Amino acid sequence: MLNPNVWGGSFEVHRDPWEDEEEEKRKDSDWDRASLLHHQQRLHGGDHQRLDEIQQSWLLAPQDFQKNKKKKYIDLGCIICSRKAVKWTLWSLVIAFFVIAFPIIVAKSLPKHKSLPLPPDNYSIAMHKALLFFDAQKSGRLPKDNRISWRGNSGLSDGANLTDVKGGLVGGYYDSGENTKYHFPMAFAMTMLSWSVVEYPQKYRDLNEYDHVRDLIKWGTDYLLLTFNSSATKIDKIYSQVGGALNNSNAPNDYNCWERPEDMDYDRPVQTAYAGPDLAGEMAAAFAAASIVFQDNPAYSKKLIKGAETVFSFARDPGKRSRYSSGNPWIEPYYNSTGYYDEYMWGATWLYYATGKTGYAALATVPGIPRNAKAFQMNANTSVLSWNNKLPAAMLLLTRFRMFLNPGYPFEQTLIQYQNVTGLNMCSYLEKFQVFNWTKGGLAQLNNGGSDPLQYVVNAAFLANLFADYMNATGVPGFYCGPYYVPASSLRSFAKSQIDYILGKNPLKLSYVVGYGSKYPARVHHRAASTPYNGVKYSCTGGYRWRDSTQPNPNTITGAMVGGPDRSDHFLDNRRLSGYTEPTMAGNAGLVAALVSLTGTGGYGVDRNNIFSAVPPLYPPTPPPPPPWKP
């Protein structure tokens, strides 16, 4: 025991021998048996070797374990592992490297090859060709990458006498086989091309036509922006046409003369519309739709939107509400408009999608617009889309609004009516309901057996297949035609049957798209295609030799869809008979739209959200949670 000296001095230890012995015994009893033996040996004079054995005994393991440990185990610091386990682990890693990692490294190091694309189907092949027709119709100074070898610069003096248009009205497209630039159907064609790109952008990309079709659209919208003061917010006129002819006139003009556009040497008057909500409404639709196509180019997209709002303001001016063609002998016999409330609905819908301004959606759905447009009267004339009737297309676009966004009040009541009429329009296209006559070969007579039937057929095919895609995208399997349930696949079958007929599945086994298939019209009613590109300039009447020739055209106008057969599936390949053999801008735009909607080479289905890029949320955002309560 220690006995501290609280009074100072050194500490001293006083031991009792008996107490020492008892203390030793007590301590011995606290030790374990293994160490007790060695402790006793130490007490009885054990040497240093015994001390070492005692120290090893504290590990409670025999001495030969330590020797085996050095041979069979590896100390890794935090753990002790068997040498055998380490060996197997290392070999496993080596094997895994050669089995898994090495092939991956080799594969990564080899030259990469893209997976082979799907073989093109008939629709994609035809679409490539159909787009070329627009290149062949270009007016103005052609780009360096001009795709049509037999076309050159033309119409460079168009509108040169206009004092308010710098550089004149150079550019745009010739409408058909004549050399006239009709702005009303031209704008419609640009709207249709833009609509197809908005709905199917990925298909165009997969088919390597995205840049091409955008260039074609821009060629048209750039020109249309020249036809009015696009820098202003309020205008009082729009130039509506360049060239043309008067009926029963013998003066040299686009109808009396048979000259290539490059050789035109006669006056080409410019028509001016001081009123015209139909023309202005269609131009607004073209600009607005194109602004969505070019939303990756903000400056140009904004320019198009500004132009769209300017011309639409002109269209809505109460003092300018008369048809653009009314009383104009240069336009009325050729592209006469029969109304403009369909263009109000059409233009307002596209402007809503382009700007997101609810005022346009409200205008498109206000009851007075469909009432004045006779949208709900349901007759064969209003169910067919054309350059003159936008009702079925506008109502389908607004049906998309309801199907995809479900905006509810205050649009719901009118949108329900639009969707119901859209369904009835689709019913009218089906042969079983006998709304239209059909040829024995299977072509729907959507223009009551008149000339140029194919332009109406391709538009209906596009709308039908597009509506089927809308239903598929929203999980709707079909719709009702009265008591009859019609699956979405029936609309797709209709669209395919009509386009297949045009591409050659008809009694004549003739493709009505020039350059597609092995048999197609060879005497297309087209001045540039029928006149040799040989450096010789033929006069107004000197070109009659080519107009009246029975020989095939020296230049193939690839992709041009001609007017089409008659109600008996007959077709006359005669250059003088334009009702059979003349192509048009509006017709080819509908053809391109139908083809891209049907092709499976570039995938299937519409882009769900592209068209709504500028549309803001329709409902107020969810409010943030309340702040935490503080006592």
Side-chain angles (χ1 to χ4, degrees):
M1 293 179 62
L2 296 177
N3 185 20
N5 183 358
V6 299
W7 302 111
S10 61
F11 287 102
E12 294 181 358
V13 178
H14 299 277
R15 296 183 182 272
D16 187 329
W18 298 105
E19 289 180 359
D20 291 344
E21 184 176 352
E22 290 298 325
E23 180 71 13
E24 291 296 330
K25 289 181 180 180
R26 186 182 63 77
K27 291 180 180 179
D28 289 345
S29 67
D30 292 338
W31 292 3
D32 58 53
R33 295 180 181 179
S35 61
L36 181 59
L37 174 62
H38 298 288
H39 178 65
Q40 290 174 348
Q41 291 176 348
R42 181 182 61 79
L43 292 177
H44 292 85
D47 57 13
H48 293 288
Q49 183 179 359
R50 295 299 183 186
L51 179 60
D52 182 63
E53 291 175 359
I54 292 172
Q55 292 172 345
Q56 293 181 21
S57 74
W58 281 100
L59 299 175
L60 300 180
Q63 291 181 0
D64 57 349
F65 172 81
Q66 299 294 331
K67 296 177 181 179
N68 292 337
K69 178 181 175 183
K70 293 180 180 179
K71 296 178 181 179
K72 298 182 179 181
Y73 293 87
I74 298 175
D75 188 350
L76 298 179
C78 57
I79 59 172
I80 297 176
C81 299
S82 164
R83 287 178 177 271
K84 187 175 183 180
V86 172
K87 176 175 148 184
W88 279 106
T89 300
L90 291 174
W91 277 109
S92 297
L93 291 173
V94 172
I95 294 171
F97 172 79
F98 282 99
V99 172
I100 301 174
F102 184 71
I104 294 176
I105 294 172
V106 172
K108 292 287 187 181
S109 63
L110 291 175
K112 295 182 179 179
H113 298 281
K114 294 183 179 179
S115 58
L116 293 176
L118 292 173
D121 59 18
N122 292 338
Y123 305 124
S124 63
I125 294 172
M127 192 203 74
H128 290 304
K129 296 179 182 298
L131 285 171
L132 290 174
F133 171 74
F134 294 92
D135 291 291
Q137 295 301 103
K138 285 182 176 178
S139 177
R141 194 172 300 280
L142 300 185
K144 293 181 180 179
D145 60 348
N146 174 33
R147 299 168 185 254
I148 310 300
S149 61
W150 44 270
R151 282 300 323 281
N153 300 332
S154 63
L156 300 182
S157 59
D158 284 351
N161 60 336
L162 300 176
T163 59
D164 58 338
V165 182
K166 184 178 180 180
L169 295 174
V170 177
Y173 292 97
Y174 301 114
D175 178 69
S176 55
E178 277 73 46
N179 298 333
T180 308
K181 295 191 292 194
Y182 293 104
H183 300 168
F184 189 43
M186 187 192 302
F188 173 73
M190 295 303 101
T191 310
M192 290 295 288
L193 287 182
S194 294
W195 190 7
S196 70
V197 176
V198 169
E199 298 285 12
Y200 302 103
Q202 193 57 47
K203 285 191 177 187
Y204 277 107
R205 291 188 180 97
D206 291 343
L207 296 172
N208 295 319
E209 289 287 5
Y210 186 67
D211 292 336
H212 183 200
V213 71
R214 280 164 48 107
D215 287 343
L216 295 176
I217 294 168
K218 192 172 185 298
W219 188 270
T221 53
D222 280 351
Y223 173 76
L224 291 173
L225 286 170
L226 299 176
T227 63
F228 65 101
N229 185 1
S230 58
S231 63
T233 57
K234 186 174 180 61
I235 58 174
D236 59 0
K237 64 182 178 182
I238 298 175
Y239 295 116
S240 56
Q241 180 175 313
V242 177
L246 292 172
N247 275 340
N248 303 317
S249 171
N250 294 321
N253 56 48
D254 286 332
Y255 282 74
N256 290 337
C257 295
W258 198 268
E259 291 180 330
R260 300 175 67 248
E262 293 80 357
D263 299 335
M264 294 182 296
D265 54 3
Y266 46 81
D267 290 336
R268 288 167 54 80
V270 176
Q271 305 303 312
T272 305
Y274 294 97
D278 34 21
L279 171 63
E282 183 57 66
M283 289 174 62
F287 293 142
S291 75
I292 302 174
V293 173
F294 292 101
Q295 58 189 344
D296 59 342
N297 183 348
Y300 190 61
S301 183
K302 289 179 180 178
K303 183 177 182 179
L304 290 170
I305 290 174
K306 184 178 184 299
E309 294 192 302
T310 297
V311 292
F312 198 71
S313 178
F314 176 87
R316 293 290 294 162
D317 188 331
K320 302 182 183 301
R321 295 188 182 180
S322 62
R323 295 175 292 113
Y324 93 105
S325 57
S326 180
N328 189 324
W330 293 85
I331 302 175
E332 205 166 29
Y334 310 104
Y335 280 103
N336 181 43
S337 172
T338 57
Y340 51 81
Y341 279 93
D342 55 329
E343 277 84 18
Y344 278 161
M345 189 189 305
W346 180 237
T349 303
W350 277 114
L351 272 165
Y352 174 62
Y353 289 149
T355 66
K357 296 179 180 179
T358 56
Y360 292 120
L363 176 63
T365 55
V366 69
I369 296 294
R371 182 176 62 251
N372 287 302
K374 300 179 175 57
F376 303 144
Q377 287 191 0
M378 280 312 300
N379 59 65
N381 293 328
T382 59
S383 68
V384 179
L385 172 63
S386 71
W387 55 265
N388 185 39
N389 176 37
K390 321 302 164 45
L391 279 177
M395 287 190 286
L396 178 57
L397 266 183
L398 290 163
T399 295
R400 190 194 212 283
F401 185 33
R402 181 171 188 258
M403 293 176 70
F404 285 77
L405 296 187
N406 191 23
Y409 181 84
F411 311 116
E412 180 68 4
Q413 184 175 358
T414 305
L415 291 180
I416 288 175
Q417 292 177 288
Y418 287 158
Q419 185 164 352
N420 290 339
V421 174
T422 294
L424 293 173
N425 287 341
M426 299 300 159
C427 298
S428 73
Y429 301 153
L430 303 180
E431 187 174 8
K432 65 183 291 185
F433 298 113
Q434 298 181 351
V435 175
F436 295 99
N437 293 325
W438 289 63
T439 69
K440 290 182 179 180
L443 183 68
Q445 296 293 286
L446 302 183
N447 65 332
N448 301 315
S451 62
D452 304 307
L454 298 187
Q455 62 176 302
Y456 305 96
V457 168
V458 292
N459 288 341
F462 173 60
L463 295 188
N465 197 61
L466 186 60
F467 187 48
D469 279 342
Y470 287 172
M471 288 190 284
N472 287 343
T474 53
V476 178
F479 63 106
Y480 281 91
C481 293
Y484 302 99
Y485 177 76
V486 178
S489 57
S490 294
L491 291 179
R492 204 177 307 280
S493 296
F494 160 76
K496 286 185 175 181
S497 71
Q498 299 305 286
I499 299 302
D500 289 346
Y501 181 104
I502 292 171
L503 296 183
K505 195 174 181 179
N506 54 62
L508 299 179
K509 308 300 180 186
L510 175 72
S511 166
Y512 292 104
V513 177
V514 177
Y516 178 86
S518 58
K519 184 181 178 184
Y520 48 81
R523 299 162 186 84
V524 179
H525 181 93
H526 195 274
R527 285 160 173 74
S530 64
T531 305
Y533 179 62
N534 55 9
V536 177
K537 180 178 178 179
Y538 297 93
S539 66
C540 175
T541 56
Y544 288 177
R545 60 179 293 193
W546 306 114
R547 180 195 66 183
D548 301 335
S549 171
T550 58
Q551 296 299 311
N553 288 351
N555 308 309
T556 301
I557 185 164
T558 302
M561 183 183 73
V562 296
D566 61 21
R567 66 184 68 188
S568 301
D569 297 308
H570 296 154
F571 178 80
L572 297 177
D573 189 7
N574 187 324
R575 198 176 294 111
R576 297 291 301 270
L577 302 177
S578 59
Y580 288 102
T581 60
E582 187 171 26
T584 64
M585 287 277 293
N588 255 73
L591 173 65
V592 169
L595 289 170
V596 76
S597 76
L598 286 170
T599 180
T601 304
Y604 295 92
V606 296
D607 187 303
R608 289 178 57 92
N609 302 315
N610 189 36
I611 199 170
F612 301 125
S613 299
V615 176
L618 297 175
Y619 305 101
T622 303
W629 180 80
K630 293 181 180 180

